[in-house]
């Protein structure tokens, strides 16, 4: 996906142009107003290779000396295909976001996670997450990639 042009959609599949969605967060023009917005912007940052943003939005207590190398390797080895937010459980100073990030693999890979966030100094930070069991995708549901097609006509490994 090319998101450099003004009219290209954001990788987080919000159906908004990147410049009106995650780009202001990535460019430090604004901060995420919710854990869900931060989750979406972090997915877009993985998709676009924005390592500094990923580190900046990781809670300072969770940062490691090798974060740049680990993130660089993950970004190089993973072709992200789509994001689906399952549940957002906000509280005043903490939140959990359950999501599935789909990536290219045989069959399609899933990162299904319950992510924990905290708000510190009026900014949301990713803390950690619990990996959850993959879900079974229905052939007749909309495809996770945002194409508007049914899964069976888009990314299904059983499509004809």
């Amino acid at each position: 996906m090319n998101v450099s042009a003004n009219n290209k959609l954001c990788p987080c599949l919000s159906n908004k142009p990147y410049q009106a969605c995650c780009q202001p967060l990535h460019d430090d023009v604004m901060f995420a107003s919710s854990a869900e917005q931060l989750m979406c912007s972090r997915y877009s940052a993985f998709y676009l290779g924005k390592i500094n943003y990923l580190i900046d939005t990781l809670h300072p207590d969770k940062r490691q000396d090798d974060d740049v190398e680990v993130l660089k390797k993950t970004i190089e080895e993973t072709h992200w295909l789509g994001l689906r937010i399952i549940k957002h459980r906000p509280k005043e100073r903490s939140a959990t976001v359950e999501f599935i990030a789909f990536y290219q693999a045989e069959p399609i890979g899933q990162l299904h996670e319950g992510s924990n966030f905290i708000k510190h100094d009026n900014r949301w930070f990713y803390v950690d997450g619990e990996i959850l069991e993959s879900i079974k995708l229905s052939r007749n549901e909309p495809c996770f990639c945002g194409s508007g097609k049914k899964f069976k006509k888009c990314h299904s490994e059983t499509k004809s």
Side-chain angles (χ1 to χ4, degrees):
M1 173 186 285
N2 178 4
V3 293
S4 60
N6 290 344
N7 61 347
K8 295 297 179 181
L9 295 179
C10 192
C12 76
L13 302 180
S14 64
N15 287 322
K16 297 178 188 173
Y18 173 64
Q19 71 176 24
C21 190
C22 290
Q23 185 176 11
L25 300 168
H26 293 163
D27 292 346
D28 289 328
V29 173
M30 60 183 278
F31 297 129
S33 62
S34 68
E36 181 176 16
Q37 186 182 33
L38 182 61
M39 176 64 244
C40 291
S41 69
R42 284 180 56 85
Y43 170 83
S44 291
F46 273 104
Y47 186 99
L48 297 169
K50 299 200 171 281
I51 294 171
N52 289 338
Y53 182 79
L54 292 166
I55 293 171
D56 290 346
T57 57
L58 177 62
H59 192 276
D61 291 347
K62 297 295 183 170
R63 295 178 190 163
Q64 303 291 318
D65 291 338
D66 64 346
D67 282 343
V68 171
E69 294 82 18
V70 170
L71 288 167
K72 185 176 180 181
K73 184 176 181 186
T74 299
I75 288 166
E76 288 172 356
E77 294 177 352
T78 310
H79 178 74
W80 297 103
L81 300 171
L83 175 68
R84 183 181 294 167
I85 302 295
I86 306 296
K87 233 180 258 179
H88 177 217
R89 296 178 197 94
K91 296 181 183 172
E92 186 177 334
R93 306 220 37 92
S94 65
T96 302
V97 178
E98 181 183 347
F99 72 93
I100 303 172
F102 298 91
Y103 57 92
Q104 188 64 53
E106 288 299 327
I108 298 297
Q110 297 181 26
L111 171 59
H112 185 190
E113 183 176 299
S115 295
N116 299 304
F117 297 85
I118 61 168
K119 193 172 188 180
H120 179 72
D121 290 337
N122 291 319
R123 284 189 66 186
W124 284 100
F125 292 93
Y126 172 76
V127 178
D128 58 21
E130 176 187 354
I131 302 297
L132 304 172
E133 198 172 307
S134 294
I135 65 163
K136 177 157 176 52
L137 298 170
S138 167
R139 292 175 31 86
N140 289 318
E141 70 181 285
C143 192
F144 54 79
C145 72
S147 67
K149 297 177 185 177
K150 290 184 178 182
F151 176 63
K152 69 182 175 185
K153 298 283 187 181
C154 195
H155 277 94
S156 173
E157 56 272 355
T158 60
K159 68 181 178 185
S160 45

